[in-house]
Amino acid sequence: MSTISGASRDQREVAVDGFSSGGPDISLTELFRAVARKYPSRVAVTAEDGEFTYQEIDARSDVIAGELIAAGVTPGNHVGLCVARESGMVAGLLAVLKCGAAYVPMDADHPAERLRWTLRDSGAAAVVTSSDLALAVAGSEVRTVRLDLLPADGPPRAELPPPRGTDPAYVIYTSGSTGEPKGVPIGHRQVVRLFSGTRDWFGFGPDDVWTVFHSAAFDFSVWEIWGALLHGGRLVVVPRDVARSPASFHELLCAERVTVLNQTPSSFRRLAAADARAPRSPAHLRTVVLGGERLDPTALRDWIARHGDDRPRLVNMYGITEATVHASYRRVLRADLDAEGPSPIGVPLPDLTFHVRGPDGEPVPDGQPGELYIEGPGVASGYLGRTELTRERFSSDGAAHRVLRTGDRVVRLGDGQYGYLGRTDDQIKIRGFRVEPGEVEALLTGHPAVASAAVLPRDYGEDDVRLIAYVVPAGTAANGAYEKLVGELRDLAGTLPAHLRPSAYERLDALPLTPHGKTDRAALLALAGNGHRPAGRADLPAHGPAAPHATTQERITAIWRTVLDVEDVAPDADFFDLGGTSLTLLRMFEQVNAAFGTDLDITVLIEGATVGSLASHVDAAAAPDATRPRTEEHE
């Protein structure tokens, strides 16, 4: 195992218990090394492929780092990270940092074209992956280091240069209004101060068990991964299928004795519903951190009724990728359930300053809404390779630190706390992901048969927000021609991550325009029923229940028509091809289980989400014994 140059062992040991003591140049890698020395035999990572101690993860990441250096990776490079939800995700990102490089996390579920684009745009020198995922990044002209072909431990193949705290640690991509995502580089120092600044609020330590629930490409994972590793805690890597199932995830929380949980409000709402039905509770939970999207405290009413507001503590943290994950802190208490007003986001982190400004850029008084500007050492330097966009969103303004223009509307309340009101632009949040409609619109209008298009959110209730594309065909198009066009647009959207794909495509003769000639999004929302359509589209017949003596398949079809808000559902049509989302899938399963008195989990559809497949599972679950024959419709 390689040694650390630079500060002494004593300094590093102190840094384990006090992040700031290592000085501004302390790096995540050095802090991790110090933790690994202090707790070598403690389990660092629990994953599907086993449990690994700090010493084992440290040694394994050394081997991967040596392989990266042998592949030509040098300090300052960017390295892609495209791996499954296993221990290799943690060892891989540590290895990249040990080379002095920054990791570029990529969601292995994203389309191959998107993955290759990310590698090109980031200028990645290499990519850490595995043999089963290597095909997805093939043709990207970067060297691959395949985790499954490397030994678990052994001496590194090259000297590992220690990174500095000022070096970039990762580059995470967010949706871009110009049609392309934008990369946000964040440094070691910015992540370290995130935890040193919040330690008095949370008191994280070596006895904590964390889950990494989110994709590594979502910056909430930065908080999850480093929150465990920098404090000597245990990190439980949640398998993909478990993350998709609230019931399975709830059972994991109980079985692994998780103490620190991090969720978007929409995900936590489903988890809370599973908790209400579960035979046992996650009794070891002491802290639940909510973030990534707007919190409505009233959605926590049932949870607090069962568990109270003290253990676990519920904390709402407003954040933005450009300000290093989290920027504010707010305990959520029982009294908040009956409070009116904006979503409470609390106070800025200790080293950040919030400025609320009007359209003229001047400060506004307390109680008056304005746009939030964040100042402090957590703010990124800008966007990777996007000079003009960086100039628009980032400035110094004579301040000691960078200032970020967030695009979020907030209000400073009389008690010094802040409330979140929404966006000043078209950007939206879907299941925690930032979505710039312009990115999707640019893709759709690239089709030669599309004259113009607009993409807006539609709320179907229970946090089920989906994207709707309004399309104006080029020239005249008969219904059959438009249906063909929609099929081609769905294929085009298949090159986007799932959260960016429209669920429906509605034809218009022309987009409504403002007096300035821009798309009138307010008018489009009015066409869609003010953006809230939980009961189905008005332009389709009402989706009534199935007939009293309907077959299993007919009853499930009726549920799908209502939940998906579509007229026709073929037995072999895929749920997601019909416009479903991961959250819609959960809603559908809740209704199916309620209708049939079953307790099926979404994992039964792992091989394909169709009415026919689900009907066979419902019949099997409802049968008095395993020998009961299936109904004729499924033969």
Side-chain angles (χ1 to χ4, degrees):
M1 189 176 300
S2 63
T3 58
I4 303 173
S5 62
S8 69
R9 176 188 173 93
D10 289 340
Q11 286 178 296
R12 298 285 81 79
E13 292 290 357
V14 172
V16 174
D17 300 314
F19 292 107
S20 61
S21 64
D25 281 338
I26 195 72
S27 70
L28 292 167
T29 309
E30 291 174 292
L31 287 171
F32 173 79
R33 290 283 205 191
V35 173
R37 278 198 303 268
K38 188 171 185 178
Y39 305 114
S41 300
R42 293 185 71 98
V43 175
V45 177
T46 298
E48 279 192 301
D49 57 330
E51 286 196 333
F52 302 86
T53 66
Y54 274 90
Q55 186 176 50
E56 289 169 336
I57 287 291
D58 193 23
R60 186 179 179 191
S61 61
D62 273 356
V63 172
I64 302 169
E67 194 72 16
L68 285 169
I69 292 173
V73 173
T74 59
N77 283 167
H78 295 157
V79 176
L81 184 67
C82 184
V83 296
R85 287 173 173 259
E86 294 181 345
S87 63
M89 176 182 71
V90 180
L93 68 85
L94 276 167
V96 174
L97 297 183
K98 287 180 176 183
C99 296
Y103 66 92
V104 183
M106 302 184 296
D107 194 322
D109 289 334
H110 286 181
E113 183 176 330
R114 181 72 161 219
L115 299 178
R116 290 191 286 266
W117 181 92
T118 302
L119 290 174
R120 289 194 302 271
D121 187 77
S122 66
V127 58
V128 176
T129 186
S130 57
S131 295
D132 59 329
L133 295 174
L135 185 61
V137 297
S140 58
E141 299 181 356
V142 300
R143 297 284 297 275
T144 61
V145 170
R146 304 188 187 190
L147 297 179
D148 53 311
L149 302 182
L150 299 179
D153 55 27
R157 290 180 54 181
E159 182 63 25
L160 306 179
R164 299 167 300 175
T166 53
D167 290 338
Y170 62 82
V171 179
I172 281 182
Y173 277 80
T174 67
S175 183
S177 60
T178 60
E180 290 186 339
K182 51 189 184 292
V184 182
I186 297 292
H188 289 253
R189 182 164 56 187
Q190 289 162 307
V191 179
V192 172
R193 42 79 33 201
L194 171 64
F195 291 100
S196 63
T198 57
R199 61 177 300 148
D200 290 341
W201 283 327
F202 291 105
F204 298 136
D207 294 327
D208 278 318
V209 179
W210 296 61
T211 56
V212 55
F213 175 88
H214 302 91
S215 163
F218 182 14
D219 69 336
F220 217 155
S221 68
V222 173
W223 172 259
E224 295 174 305
I225 293 169
W226 293 107
L229 298 184
L230 295 184
H231 297 91
R234 180 164 66 95
L235 181 66
V236 179
V237 182
V238 182
R240 176 178 178 271
D241 293 337
V242 174
R244 293 178 60 187
S245 168
S248 298
F249 183 49
H250 184 274
E251 176 57 29
L252 178 144
L253 297 178
C254 297
E256 297 292 347
R257 302 188 173 204
V258 172
T259 65
V260 182
L261 173 64
N262 304 277
Q263 294 272 273
T264 61
S266 55
S267 292
F268 188 69
R269 180 172 182 163
R270 297 288 162 178
L271 179 67
D275 176 76
R277 300 188 298 266
R280 58 174 175 163
S281 294
H284 292 81
L285 269 184
R286 70 176 187 88
T287 301
V288 176
V289 175
L290 302 168
E293 60 191 17
R294 183 184 183 278
L295 171 68
D296 176 6
T298 62
L300 303 173
R301 189 179 302 278
D302 290 344
W303 173 275
I304 290 179
R306 291 193 303 277
H307 300 284
D309 60 6
D310 186 55
R311 189 172 179 88
R313 291 179 299 167
L314 300 173
V315 178
N316 187 35
M317 299 188 79
Y318 162 83
I320 186 169
T321 304
E322 292 89 336
T324 315
V325 190
H326 297 310
S328 77
Y329 173 96
R330 172 62 150 80
R331 277 287 302 275
V332 181
L333 303 173
R334 192 185 298 271
D336 292 315
L337 301 180
D338 299 317
E340 297 182 354
S343 177
I345 62 173
V347 297
L349 299 194
D351 62 352
L352 298 180
T353 302
F354 283 6
H355 305 279
V356 186
R357 301 177 182 175
D360 57 0
E362 294 299 315
V364 300
D366 290 359
Q368 182 174 323
E371 183 175 356
L372 175 63
Y373 289 69
I374 300 177
E375 176 188 347
V379 174
S381 59
Y383 296 113
L384 186 66
R386 306 287 196 277
T387 305
E388 289 301 318
L389 187 57
T390 296
R391 188 176 295 117
E392 291 176 13
R393 295 284 300 277
F394 296 86
S395 64
S396 295
D397 287 346
H401 298 283
R402 296 282 279 175
V403 178
L404 168 69
R405 181 177 184 178
T406 67
D408 287 318
R409 292 181 68 247
V410 302
V411 58
R412 190 175 190 271
L413 307 174
D415 59 358
Q417 307 258 330
Y418 289 79
Y420 178 81
L421 298 170
R423 291 289 299 175
T424 63
D425 54 18
D426 301 324
Q427 187 187 103
I428 56 179
K429 282 286 188 77
I430 293 183
R431 298 182 295 283
F433 291 98
R434 284 162 58 180
V435 173
E436 294 278 7
E439 181 175 355
V440 189
E441 292 164 358
L443 181 76
L444 300 181
T445 54
H447 192 292
V450 175
S452 57
V455 175
L456 278 80
R458 181 178 293 172
D459 187 349
Y460 285 79
E462 299 181 28
D463 298 318
D464 185 5
V465 179
R466 310 175 206 169
L467 293 180
I468 308 299
Y470 297 89
V471 178
V472 178
T476 59
N479 286 335
Y482 183 70
E483 291 174 3
K484 179 175 181 292
L485 173 60
V486 168
E488 293 172 354
L489 293 179
R490 286 194 185 279
D491 289 341
L492 260 183
T495 64
L496 297 171
H499 63 275
L500 287 171
R501 299 172 194 167
S503 291
Y505 295 80
E506 301 194 359
R507 177 180 177 178
L508 294 177
D509 293 329
L511 294 178
L513 301 177
T514 67
H516 299 290
K518 297 182 178 181
T519 300
D520 190 337
R521 295 180 182 272
L524 281 176
L525 285 173
L527 288 175
N530 294 321
H532 188 75
R533 301 290 297 279
R537 297 208 316 265
D539 58 326
L540 291 177
H543 306 314
H549 302 292
T551 64
T552 301
Q553 187 164 291
E554 289 170 340
R555 293 171 68 188
I556 293 175
T557 298
I559 292 173
W560 281 37
R561 291 174 64 209
T562 299
V563 172
L564 289 169
D565 200 6
V566 296
E567 180 65 9
D568 299 313
V569 177
D572 59 351
D574 184 87
F575 186 85
F576 296 99
D577 289 343
L578 293 170
T581 66
S582 58
L583 190 54
T584 314
L585 185 72
L586 293 175
R587 292 184 64 198
M588 180 271 290
F589 259 84
E590 289 172 356
Q591 294 190 27
V592 168
N593 282 328
F596 291 94
T598 54
D599 191 25
L600 293 173
D601 191 86
I602 62 172
T603 54
V604 301
L605 295 185
I606 192 68
E607 299 300 327
T610 67
V611 166
S613 175
L614 181 55
S616 66
H617 287 290
V618 168
D619 282 344
D625 56 62
T627 61
R628 174 176 172 173
R630 294 187 301 169
T631 54
E632 182 178 347
E633 72 207 68
H634 306 134
E635 296 296 328

